[in-house]
Amino acid sequence: MKSPENKTIPLLFWSVPGTHAEHLWKVRVTIPPSATAETPLVLAAEGENSVPIAKGSFEFMGARVKIVNGKGHLAFGDFVKGIHETGVWMMRPGHPPVPGALTFG
């Protein structure tokens, strides 16, 4: 398993529309060129007004990734293993679980 040699793949996950502003979130994941199963993917998680999410967990690709100070990590191999999973959620203390969706851009 390896990502394309000369392409960076940006993924953007957004909370679903209609969510109260204080519960909105977005998560950026970038797959670097030539990523292998062990390559760590960095997740950048932001809440309302692009403020990094202090603490929470992001559920996607069948994994639950711990978010601290706006960052989380997942191995590319784990990302690929869960590619068929459809659930996308952000869980934060003091907020209800908020679903989201994948976009490209």
Side-chain angles (χ1 to χ4, degrees):
M1 151 191 15
K2 193 173 174 184
S3 67
E5 288 182 23
N6 58 354
K7 293 185 181 179
T8 298
I9 303 168
L11 304 173
L12 182 59
F13 296 86
W14 285 91
S15 51
V16 295
T19 303
H20 294 289
E22 67 272 13
H23 303 303
L24 294 175
W25 57 264
K26 66 181 171 184
V27 172
R28 294 181 192 282
V29 180
T30 302
I31 301 171
S34 302
T36 64
E38 296 79 28
T39 300
L41 304 181
V42 177
L43 285 71
E46 299 176 348
E48 182 183 17
N49 297 322
S50 299
V51 174
I53 292 175
K55 184 178 178 183
S57 59
F58 182 60
E59 188 175 298
F60 80 126
M61 302 302 173
R64 188 172 281 195
V65 178
K66 183 177 178 180
I67 302 295
V68 177
N69 297 323
K71 299 287 183 209
H73 299 87
L74 179 71
F76 179 60
D78 292 334
F79 175 89
V80 171
K81 270 195 295 189
I83 206 120
H84 65 280
E85 299 289 336
T86 58
V88 175
W89 294 87
M90 178 63 74
M91 280 79 61
R92 294 184 275 176
H95 295 264
V98 178
L102 171 65
T103 64
F104 293 87

